[in-house]
Amino acid sequence: MGDIAFHYSYIMIIILLVIGLYGMLGKRNLIKKIIGLNIFQTAIFLFFIEGGLKDGGTVPVIDPALGTEAAIYFNPLPHVMILTAIVVSVATTGVAMALLLTIYRNYTSLEEDIILERMGK
Amino acid sequence: MIERYDSIIVDITCRIMVPFIQLFGMYVIFHGHYSPGGGFQGGVLLASSMILHRLSLGYKESYLKLPPARASVLGTGGMFLFILTALTPIFFGGVFLDYGFLPIPGLEPAELRYYGILIAEIWIGIAVFGCLVVIFDRLTERRLD
Amino acid sequence: MIEHLPALIPISLILFAFIAGILGMMKYRLSRYLAILGAVAAFGLSVTSTIHVLQTGTMSYHFGNWPPPYGIEFVMDTLTCFMVLVITGIGSILLMFPTKPGFMIDEQKSATLYTLVLLFMAGLCGMVMAGDLFNLYVFLEISSLTTFALVSIGGGKASVASFRYLIMASIGGCFYLLGVGFIYFSVGSINMADVFQLLPAVYDSPSVIGGAFLIITGLCLKMALFPFHTWLPDSDTYAPPVVAAFSAAVQIEVPAYVITRLLLNVFSQDFMVTLTPITDIIAWISAAGIIIASILAIAQNNFRRMLAYSSVAQVAYIGLGIGLANPLGIVGGIFHIMAHSLMKGSLFLIAGGLHHHNGIWNIQGFQGLGRRMPWTIGALTIAALGMIGIPPTAGFFSKWYLLLGSIDSGKWVFVAVMLISSLLNAVYFFRIIEKAFTPLNNQAASSDNPRELPGKMLAPILILATGILVAGALNVVIINNLIMPVAEGL
């Protein structure tokens, strides 16, 4: 039990993942789905950065006073991967907003069941 | 279309703030390779300065400063120039993205990589700036129907 | 220049994308010709690299001259060359279809359209060649983002379909990224060859098993495998015809190829077959998907929606081939990628041409078309015979290898599934062919005579239809040289 409490950040990441998934799949308003997608992706970014932490480390820029041993600097590779993933997230949100504009202009509603009804399913 | 916000305090403040935000954005781009920052972050800051301009001063004045078509050309052109910079080392003996072989005279390969990353970050910053301004313009344009 | 080819194939497509975008804003027609030129140039480069790889073995390209575990790597072996040939070849033929009927868009706005299409093809080529797991995610998202925009061109209903596809595809991509994170933190590297060597030491840890399940689930979402297929019928029905052809012909098969690559080169056979039931699960849900999707296709009245459900069934064939996990099964699955892309590409182009030129949307409209539109219905017949699996077409050979693979693995259920599904395919394709070849009773009285499709629309359709027969005739050459050397490593 002490082990799980020590890794409290992973528990928060799981909670955020589940909130994001529920928002994407359980809510009927389309904007809430996009917000759920953003929360889901943010949780994944937190997971990556959490994994790159080291006990007692410092930022990954070589400091002449501390030497060049690799064990005292944080792992910079997850940070670089997350930069790219953030760009993908921003682009996806931009495309989703543009799609929502088109849907609103055609159906004047942003609730999924009303849109499906007006589409004639 | 965003109309001009009708208050003189907002007008003067935003007119003063926009160049400073752009300066900070360029600072973030130029220091991207050895401190937090880089092309994408600096490009977002530059775009936010332009969005502030559009929001506070209205579309009539802001479209004179940066027309939407020119922002689109900036976005595409920045990306195109980045690809060209990455392709140049192939003709001079290196592989793709190997900045050590860029044809700038009088520099060693290690320094060439340093400046090569800087040049790539500048093109990416311009590309991101153009793309985000295009997204904002498309989301707020008035449909003629 | 030969050793730079792995990077030049996606980069040339990106360059032509931006040139077509910038020059197309000034003169509209230029963007279409530049796009075709770019796709044909990429096809030429991929043919050159195939010849080079067949002579000298696997090509590996290090970006920025950083050696592999530290830097980005592109790897081209014979299976990769096969996939790049399919993507660029089918792409350049599909781009020859004229803009207005193919994309439902006026020529004034077509500059950004061809930029998106070329970026889509570049994303797929990069995904196929990537040598490490994270670059695969980047190119996967590039191809998905352009598809969201391309599908929504078709109007109001297409935007809703594209939004549903956006939600499901983003979940898939994020699951893949989470799985890559699990693997990276267990092993310490994301390069595929490196992971292959470092992974056996940690096979038993829950994070590796969880990461593998997450990666496979994310790729199955992108692939429209059976329980996750709900985005495909809407997206293919309402999207513009050429975009639906791209989506069904190339885009859904590339994640299936990625799962094969993971099976062969990252998680070895010990992990995916004996330690965890991943390939068994894929095989069983593919078998269920084949039967259920074929039955659903019979129930459709709309020609495009029927083709979409048929795509779900055909992708499940590829999944079955992967799930069998023996060399003949994998050969059958990968060859089916090429056969299916040729057949579905021509079928979607025929559907688009018929809708634009003659207004035919449902299956009832096919009555009596055989006499008025001989070339079109001829191509339709060849494609339909290929989907059912009749001998000289390429579809027969891929199903033959899948049958041999399932007999090899001793699971007779899959043999029965494949035979029943061929019968179901025959049901829903023969009713169209029968309607097309039966003449109408009052031919003289019908005022709206369906005319034959014009030459510009007919040319890509006929090229793809002859490609089905050519691929069937050359299948031994293709399989022995390109697919077998990699599949035998199993």
Side-chain angles (χ1 to χ4, degrees):
Chain A
M1 195 58 204
D3 243 358
I4 296 184
F6 181 68
H7 295 294
Y8 61 93
S9 44
Y10 289 108
I11 298 181
M12 292 198 322
I13 291 172
I14 295 178
I15 294 178
L16 277 177
L17 275 175
V18 171
I19 292 177
L21 263 181
Y22 171 66
M24 270 197 278
L25 301 174
K27 290 286 182 184
R28 262 180 259 127
N29 192 343
L30 295 183
I31 294 195
K32 291 186 185 172
K33 284 187 198 267
I34 297 182
I35 295 179
L37 177 67
N38 267 322
I39 296 178
F40 188 64
Q41 285 172 331
T42 308
I44 297 183
F45 303 155
L46 280 176
F47 170 71
F48 266 83
I49 301 211
E50 178 69 32
L53 285 182
K54 289 181 202 175
D55 221 356
T58 179
V59 286
V61 181
I62 292 188
D63 195 357
L66 295 172
T68 58
E69 194 185 308
I72 53 174
Y73 297 112
F74 286 155
N75 193 358
L77 184 60
H79 295 252
V80 172
M81 293 201 281
I82 293 308
L83 276 179
T84 313
I86 291 179
V87 174
V88 169
S89 167
V90 166
T92 307
T93 307
V95 174
M97 288 296 174
L99 279 177
L100 279 189
L101 264 183
T102 315
I103 295 177
Y104 188 73
R105 278 182 192 141
N106 279 323
Y107 295 107
T108 59
S109 161
L110 280 180
E111 302 279 331
E112 194 185 16
D113 36 3
I114 300 180
I115 293 176
L116 285 177
E117 204 178 297
R118 288 188 188 159
M119 262 173 79
K121 280 285 173 73
Chain B
M1 304 282 200
I2 312 272
E3 298 293 333
R4 186 176 167 273
Y5 197 83
D6 210 8
S7 155
I8 191 161
I9 297 182
V10 171
D11 191 307
I12 302 287
T13 314
C14 290
R15 276 187 209 270
I16 294 181
M17 276 203 326
V18 166
F20 283 102
I21 300 179
Q22 288 181 337
L23 189 63
F24 185 61
M26 284 200 272
Y27 165 78
V28 168
I29 293 181
F30 276 86
H31 284 86
H33 44 285
Y34 58 86
S35 77
F40 181 69
Q41 292 88 317
V44 171
L45 278 168
L46 286 176
S48 74
S49 79
M50 212 58 223
I51 292 177
L52 177 65
H53 199 260
R54 293 224 200 284
L55 278 177
S56 61
L57 296 175
Y59 73 99
K60 286 204 184 81
E61 193 176 329
S62 190
Y63 277 10
L64 291 174
K65 206 62 151 174
L66 183 68
R70 199 184 299 170
S72 175
V73 170
L74 270 179
T76 328
M79 207 57 224
F80 181 60
L81 287 169
F82 167 68
I83 301 280
L84 278 186
T85 314
L87 272 180
T88 318
I90 291 187
F91 302 113
F92 290 95
V95 291
F96 184 69
L97 277 182
D98 189 8
Y99 300 121
F101 288 91
L102 281 178
I104 303 179
L107 292 170
E108 302 177 358
E111 285 187 358
L112 268 178
R113 283 177 204 255
Y114 185 81
Y115 289 117
I117 298 179
L118 178 62
I119 295 175
E121 301 282 344
I122 295 175
W123 298 135
I124 293 177
I126 294 178
V128 171
F129 165 59
C131 286
L132 283 177
V133 172
V134 164
I135 292 180
F136 181 76
D137 284 334
R138 288 275 182 262
L139 285 178
T140 56
E141 70 182 353
R142 183 202 294 147
R143 291 233 328 177
L144 302 162
D145 54 19
Chain C
M1 197 55 74
I2 292 282
E3 69 264 8
H4 296 296
L5 275 174
L8 278 183
I9 296 177
I11 295 300
S12 68
L13 284 169
I14 297 181
L15 263 182
F16 272 98
F18 288 119
I19 297 178
I22 296 180
L23 288 184
M25 281 195 258
M26 295 190 278
K27 198 163 156 42
Y28 310 121
R29 278 200 179 236
L30 259 171
S31 62
R32 174 156 176 257
Y33 297 135
L34 279 172
I36 299 180
L37 183 63
V40 170
F43 182 62
L45 286 176
S46 55
V47 169
T48 317
S49 61
T50 310
I51 299 175
H52 185 78
V53 167
L54 281 175
Q55 285 167 347
T56 53
T58 307
M59 266 202 287
S60 158
Y61 193 75
H62 308 151
F63 277 57
N65 231 349
W66 298 100
Y70 308 121
I72 303 177
E73 191 190 8
F74 267 11
V75 177
M76 278 191 96
D77 61 357
T78 52
L79 190 58
T80 315
C81 293
F82 170 75
M83 287 300 299
V84 175
L85 278 176
V86 167
I87 295 173
T88 48
I90 305 281
S92 41
I93 299 177
L94 284 177
L95 276 175
M96 287 194 221
F97 205 69
T99 314
K100 187 71 193 303
F103 289 100
M104 293 188 197
I105 199 172
D106 297 321
E107 277 197 343
Q108 272 81 358
K109 301 186 194 157
S110 62
T112 41
L113 169 79
Y114 283 109
T115 306
L116 285 173
V117 174
L118 284 175
L119 279 176
F120 167 70
M121 282 171 61
L124 288 177
C125 287
M127 198 154 98
V128 159
M129 289 196 273
D132 57 293
L133 294 168
F134 185 70
N135 256 345
L136 209 140
Y137 170 73
V138 172
F139 284 106
L140 180 72
E141 291 297 317
I142 290 180
S143 64
S144 295
L145 279 171
T146 50
T147 315
F148 303 149
L150 283 172
V151 166
S152 72
I153 293 177
K157 292 188 182 177
S159 306
V160 180
S162 178
F163 188 78
R164 174 174 299 180
Y165 172 42
L166 190 151
I167 294 292
M168 295 193 73
S170 298
I171 297 181
C174 290
F175 273 177
Y176 177 82
L177 186 61
L178 200 56
V180 166
F182 275 52
I183 302 280
Y184 173 63
F185 290 128
S186 309
V187 171
S189 163
I190 43 176
N191 194 1
M192 283 190 193
D194 224 12
V195 170
F196 187 57
Q197 282 169 342
L198 292 172
L199 204 55
V202 279
Y203 268 164
D204 291 330
S205 71
S207 61
V208 170
I209 298 181
F213 266 105
L214 278 172
I215 289 181
I216 300 290
T217 308
L219 288 171
C220 287
L221 265 169
K222 293 271 186 184
M223 191 171 123
L225 203 53
F226 166 58
F228 310 118
H229 67 284
T230 45
W231 57 268
L232 193 60
D234 277 335
S235 155
D236 272 354
T237 311
Y238 300 122
V242 177
V243 173
F246 265 115
S247 160
V250 253
Q251 196 199 11
I252 4 181
E253 283 103 2
V254 179
Y257 160 79
V258 171
I259 298 184
T260 312
R261 179 62 73 185
L262 290 177
L263 169 65
L264 290 170
N265 286 101
V266 179
F267 307 109
S268 63
Q269 188 188 10
D270 297 324
F271 184 72
M272 279 179 88
V273 178
T274 26
L275 199 63
T276 60
I278 291 182
T279 45
D280 279 336
I281 296 177
I282 295 179
W284 282 104
I285 58 179
S286 303
I290 295 176
I291 300 287
I292 296 182
S294 302
I295 295 178
L296 281 173
I298 298 180
Q300 300 304 321
N301 214 2
N302 185 349
F303 184 49
R304 289 261 288 266
R305 192 173 277 268
M306 184 193 89
L307 289 179
Y309 276 106
S310 167
S311 295
V312 176
Q314 302 297 315
V315 166
Y317 273 117
I318 305 176
L320 181 63
I322 300 172
L324 290 171
N326 50 2
L328 284 171
I330 292 190
V331 163
I334 300 286
F335 190 68
H336 198 63
I337 291 180
M338 180 184 214
H340 177 235
S341 59
L342 287 166
M343 300 185 294
K344 263 304 152 45
S346 59
L347 280 171
F348 270 107
L349 286 184
I350 292 174
L354 283 176
H355 180 56
H356 176 84
H357 207 62
N358 296 326
I360 297 175
W361 189 238
N362 287 334
I363 296 190
Q364 279 79 9
F366 275 80
Q367 189 84 27
L369 276 185
R371 190 167 284 271
R372 311 330 173 41
M373 312 175 76
W375 292 102
T376 314
I377 301 296
L380 177 72
T381 313
I382 297 180
L385 290 179
M387 301 282 287
I388 300 169
I390 308 251
T393 58
F396 166 70
F397 291 107
S398 58
K399 295 196 184 183
W400 177 245
Y401 279 105
L402 282 173
L403 270 174
L404 285 180
S406 35
I407 296 179
D408 236 0
S409 74
K411 300 193 174 113
W412 295 93
V413 181
F414 297 142
V415 177
V417 158
M418 291 199 53
L419 294 175
I420 296 178
S421 70
S422 290
L423 185 64
L424 292 172
N425 281 0
V427 168
Y428 62 76
F429 273 112
F430 270 148
R431 65 179 176 164
I432 297 181
I433 300 181
E434 181 210 10
K435 271 204 166 63
F437 281 120
T438 325
L440 278 173
N441 289 332
N442 44 354
Q443 279 189 8
S446 59
S447 53
D448 47 351
N449 269 329
R451 307 168 307 244
E452 180 61 87
L453 290 179
K456 274 190 275 193
M457 280 196 232
L458 213 47
I461 297 176
L462 289 177
I463 296 178
L464 287 172
T466 41
I468 300 174
L469 296 171
V470 166
L474 290 178
N475 73 316
V476 180
V477 172
I478 297 177
I479 289 182
N480 281 344
N481 286 336
L482 295 177
I483 311 181
M484 258 313 195
V486 180
E488 300 225 295
L490 207 52

